[in-house]
Amino acid sequence: MLTCLLLSINHTGKATLVQAWRIAAFCLTAAARHRLGLPDINPEDIHQVLASSRRFYRAFDRLTTVLDPVRHDRRARLPQHQADALATAWEDDDPAHSRKRELLQDIVTALVLTPVRWAKGRGYLRHFRGDVGIDTTAALSSPAHPGPAAPLGS
């Protein structure tokens, strides 16, 4: 799944799950699918296509569940007491939580910064005046840790 996200960034400039799944399902060679442990699917068989999509999204969910020290629905607005409890758990000093939090942050930062760095390297931002900041809030949000806004040059 992460390999396909990186391929998506490389080929489309975006790190979206749908594009990564399309690459995994329809664009890889048989040898590449075999090396990644992906089953062959018939693009004309809707049941195989849907099953492949569901497996891909479940894999992403399992990965984020393993890496997230405090799993919850990040699209829902929480009452303040619940948000405070989650923020406390997110900032927990426990070594296992710290390791997961740092790894998750590294993955998100790489997924967000890579397309922007490539765009800058290809000259897509040459006419933009001023600084470029990157915000990972949509990719990694928690009550106490909304994600960094990193300067492009870093």
Side-chain angles (χ1 to χ4, degrees), residues 50-73:
L50 288 173
S52 169
S53 173
R54 288 185 181 132
R55 278 192 306 272
F56 195 86
Y57 280 87
R58 278 195 311 265
F60 181 77
D61 188 57
R62 282 191 309 272
L63 177 66
T64 56
T65 298
V66 167
L67 294 174
D68 194 341
V70 184
R71 184 77 169 160
H72 72 286
D73 183 2

Short mmCIF file of all heavy atoms in Angstrom, two decimals, residues 50-73:
data_model
loop_
_atom_site.label_atom_id
_atom_site.label_comp_id
_atom_site.label_asym_id
_atom_site.label_seq_id
_atom_site.Cartn_x
_atom_site.Cartn_y
_atom_site.Cartn_z
N LEU A 50 -14.12 -4.71 -6.67
CA LEU A 50 -14.58 -4.23 -5.36
C LEU A 50 -13.83 -4.90 -4.22
O LEU A 50 -13.46 -4.25 -3.24
CB LEU A 50 -16.08 -4.44 -5.20
CG LEU A 50 -16.96 -3.51 -6.04
CD1 LEU A 50 -18.43 -3.92 -5.93
CD2 LEU A 50 -16.78 -2.08 -5.61
N ALA A 51 -13.59 -6.20 -4.33
CA ALA A 51 -12.86 -6.91 -3.28
C ALA A 51 -11.43 -6.38 -3.17
O ALA A 51 -10.91 -6.18 -2.07
CB ALA A 51 -12.85 -8.41 -3.58
N SER A 52 -10.81 -6.11 -4.30
CA SER A 52 -9.45 -5.55 -4.30
C SER A 52 -9.43 -4.19 -3.63
O SER A 52 -8.56 -3.89 -2.81
CB SER A 52 -8.93 -5.45 -5.74
OG SER A 52 -7.75 -4.69 -5.78
N SER A 53 -10.39 -3.36 -3.98
CA SER A 53 -10.48 -2.02 -3.39
C SER A 53 -10.67 -2.11 -1.87
O SER A 53 -10.00 -1.42 -1.11
CB SER A 53 -11.65 -1.26 -4.01
OG SER A 53 -11.87 -0.05 -3.35
N ARG A 54 -11.56 -2.96 -1.44
CA ARG A 54 -11.81 -3.12 0.01
C ARG A 54 -10.58 -3.62 0.74
O ARG A 54 -10.26 -3.16 1.83
CB ARG A 54 -12.99 -4.05 0.23
CG ARG A 54 -14.30 -3.40 -0.14
CD ARG A 54 -15.48 -4.30 0.21
NE ARG A 54 -16.71 -3.64 -0.19
CZ ARG A 54 -17.67 -4.23 -0.87
NH1 ARG A 54 -17.56 -5.50 -1.21
NH2 ARG A 54 -18.75 -3.56 -1.20
N ARG A 55 -9.86 -4.58 0.14
CA ARG A 55 -8.62 -5.08 0.77
C ARG A 55 -7.61 -3.95 0.90
O ARG A 55 -6.95 -3.81 1.93
CB ARG A 55 -8.02 -6.22 -0.05
CG ARG A 55 -8.62 -7.57 0.19
CD ARG A 55 -7.81 -8.70 -0.42
NE ARG A 55 -7.54 -8.53 -1.84
CZ ARG A 55 -8.35 -8.95 -2.82
NH1 ARG A 55 -9.48 -9.57 -2.52
NH2 ARG A 55 -8.03 -8.76 -4.08
N PHE A 56 -7.48 -3.13 -0.12
CA PHE A 56 -6.51 -2.04 -0.11
C PHE A 56 -6.85 -1.03 0.99
O PHE A 56 -5.99 -0.63 1.77
CB PHE A 56 -6.51 -1.34 -1.49
CG PHE A 56 -5.33 -0.45 -1.70
CD1 PHE A 56 -4.14 -0.96 -2.18
CD2 PHE A 56 -5.41 0.91 -1.45
CE1 PHE A 56 -3.05 -0.15 -2.39
CE2 PHE A 56 -4.34 1.74 -1.66
CZ PHE A 56 -3.15 1.21 -2.14
N TYR A 57 -8.12 -0.63 1.08
CA TYR A 57 -8.53 0.33 2.09
C TYR A 57 -8.43 -0.26 3.50
O TYR A 57 -8.08 0.44 4.44
CB TYR A 57 -9.93 0.86 1.80
CG TYR A 57 -9.92 1.93 0.73
CD1 TYR A 57 -9.99 1.60 -0.62
CD2 TYR A 57 -9.81 3.27 1.07
CE1 TYR A 57 -9.96 2.57 -1.59
CE2 TYR A 57 -9.78 4.25 0.11
CZ TYR A 57 -9.85 3.90 -1.23
OH TYR A 57 -9.82 4.87 -2.19
N ARG A 58 -8.73 -1.55 3.64
CA ARG A 58 -8.57 -2.19 4.96
C ARG A 58 -7.10 -2.23 5.36
O ARG A 58 -6.76 -2.05 6.53
CB ARG A 58 -9.16 -3.60 4.95
CG ARG A 58 -10.66 -3.61 5.15
CD ARG A 58 -11.19 -5.02 5.50
NE ARG A 58 -10.70 -6.06 4.62
CZ ARG A 58 -11.34 -6.52 3.54
NH1 ARG A 58 -12.52 -6.01 3.21
NH2 ARG A 58 -10.83 -7.47 2.80
N ALA A 59 -6.21 -2.45 4.39
CA ALA A 59 -4.77 -2.44 4.68
C ALA A 59 -4.34 -1.07 5.18
O ALA A 59 -3.57 -0.95 6.14
CB ALA A 59 -3.97 -2.84 3.45
N PHE A 60 -4.84 -0.02 4.55
CA PHE A 60 -4.52 1.34 5.00
C PHE A 60 -5.07 1.56 6.40
O PHE A 60 -4.38 2.12 7.27
CB PHE A 60 -5.09 2.38 4.04
CG PHE A 60 -4.77 3.79 4.46
CD1 PHE A 60 -3.50 4.31 4.24
CD2 PHE A 60 -5.73 4.57 5.06
CE1 PHE A 60 -3.19 5.60 4.63
CE2 PHE A 60 -5.43 5.87 5.46
CZ PHE A 60 -4.16 6.39 5.24
N ASP A 61 -6.29 1.10 6.66
CA ASP A 61 -6.88 1.27 7.98
C ASP A 61 -6.08 0.51 9.04
O ASP A 61 -5.84 1.02 10.13
CB ASP A 61 -8.33 0.79 7.96
CG ASP A 61 -9.05 1.12 9.26
OD1 ASP A 61 -9.08 2.31 9.63
OD2 ASP A 61 -9.55 0.19 9.91
N ARG A 62 -5.62 -0.71 8.71
CA ARG A 62 -4.81 -1.47 9.67
C ARG A 62 -3.50 -0.75 9.95
O ARG A 62 -3.05 -0.67 11.10
CB ARG A 62 -4.54 -2.88 9.15
CG ARG A 62 -5.70 -3.83 9.31
CD ARG A 62 -5.33 -5.28 9.04
NE ARG A 62 -4.65 -5.50 7.78
CZ ARG A 62 -5.24 -5.73 6.62
NH1 ARG A 62 -6.56 -5.77 6.55
NH2 ARG A 62 -4.55 -5.93 5.52
N LEU A 63 -2.87 -0.22 8.90
CA LEU A 63 -1.61 0.49 9.07
C LEU A 63 -1.78 1.71 9.96
O LEU A 63 -1.01 1.93 10.89
CB LEU A 63 -1.04 0.89 7.71
CG LEU A 63 0.25 1.70 7.75
CD1 LEU A 63 1.38 0.85 8.31
CD2 LEU A 63 0.59 2.21 6.37
N THR A 64 -2.80 2.51 9.69
CA THR A 64 -3.00 3.71 10.50
C THR A 64 -3.42 3.35 11.92
O THR A 64 -3.08 4.06 12.86
CB THR A 64 -4.02 4.67 9.86
OG1 THR A 64 -5.25 3.98 9.65
CG2 THR A 64 -3.49 5.24 8.56
N THR A 65 -4.14 2.24 12.08
CA THR A 65 -4.51 1.81 13.43
C THR A 65 -3.29 1.39 14.23
O THR A 65 -3.15 1.74 15.40
CB THR A 65 -5.51 0.63 13.35
OG1 THR A 65 -6.69 1.09 12.69
CG2 THR A 65 -5.87 0.11 14.72
N VAL A 66 -2.37 0.69 13.59
CA VAL A 66 -1.15 0.26 14.28
C VAL A 66 -0.29 1.46 14.65
O VAL A 66 0.30 1.52 15.73
CB VAL A 66 -0.35 -0.72 13.38
CG1 VAL A 66 1.05 -0.93 13.90
CG2 VAL A 66 -1.08 -2.04 13.29
N LEU A 67 -0.21 2.44 13.76
CA LEU A 67 0.67 3.58 13.99
C LEU A 67 0.06 4.66 14.87
O LEU A 67 0.78 5.46 15.45
CB LEU A 67 1.07 4.21 12.65
CG LEU A 67 1.93 3.34 11.76
CD1 LEU A 67 2.12 4.00 10.41
CD2 LEU A 67 3.27 3.04 12.41
N ASP A 68 -1.26 4.71 14.95
CA ASP A 68 -1.91 5.78 15.69
C ASP A 68 -1.98 5.45 17.17
O ASP A 68 -2.63 4.48 17.55
CB ASP A 68 -3.31 6.00 15.13
CG ASP A 68 -3.92 7.31 15.60
OD1 ASP A 68 -3.44 7.87 16.60
OD2 ASP A 68 -4.87 7.76 14.96
N PRO A 69 -1.34 6.22 18.01
CA PRO A 69 -1.36 5.92 19.44
C PRO A 69 -2.75 6.04 20.05
O PRO A 69 -3.04 5.41 21.05
CB PRO A 69 -0.43 6.95 20.07
CG PRO A 69 0.12 7.77 18.99
CD PRO A 69 -0.50 7.37 17.70
N VAL A 70 -3.62 6.87 19.47
CA VAL A 70 -4.97 7.04 20.01
C VAL A 70 -5.94 7.07 18.82
O VAL A 70 -6.18 8.11 18.24
CB VAL A 70 -5.09 8.35 20.81
CG1 VAL A 70 -6.47 8.46 21.44
CG2 VAL A 70 -4.02 8.43 21.87
N ARG A 71 -6.48 5.92 18.50
CA ARG A 71 -7.35 5.80 17.33
C ARG A 71 -8.74 6.34 17.65
O ARG A 71 -9.34 5.98 18.67
CB ARG A 71 -7.43 4.33 16.94
CG ARG A 71 -8.23 4.08 15.70
CD ARG A 71 -7.44 4.44 14.49
NE ARG A 71 -8.12 3.93 13.32
CZ ARG A 71 -7.91 4.39 12.12
NH1 ARG A 71 -7.03 5.33 11.93
NH2 ARG A 71 -8.57 3.90 11.11
N HIS A 72 -9.26 7.22 16.83
CA HIS A 72 -10.63 7.70 16.92
C HIS A 72 -11.03 8.31 15.59
O HIS A 72 -10.20 8.51 14.72
CB HIS A 72 -10.81 8.71 18.06
CG HIS A 72 -10.18 10.04 17.80
ND1 HIS A 72 -8.82 10.26 17.84
CD2 HIS A 72 -10.74 11.22 17.45
CE1 HIS A 72 -8.57 11.52 17.55
NE2 HIS A 72 -9.71 12.12 17.30
N ASP A 73 -12.31 8.57 15.42
CA ASP A 73 -12.81 9.17 14.18
C ASP A 73 -12.41 10.63 14.15
O ASP A 73 -12.97 11.46 14.85
CB ASP A 73 -14.33 9.03 14.09
CG ASP A 73 -14.90 9.57 12.79
OD1 ASP A 73 -14.11 10.03 11.93
OD2 ASP A 73 -16.13 9.53 12.64
#
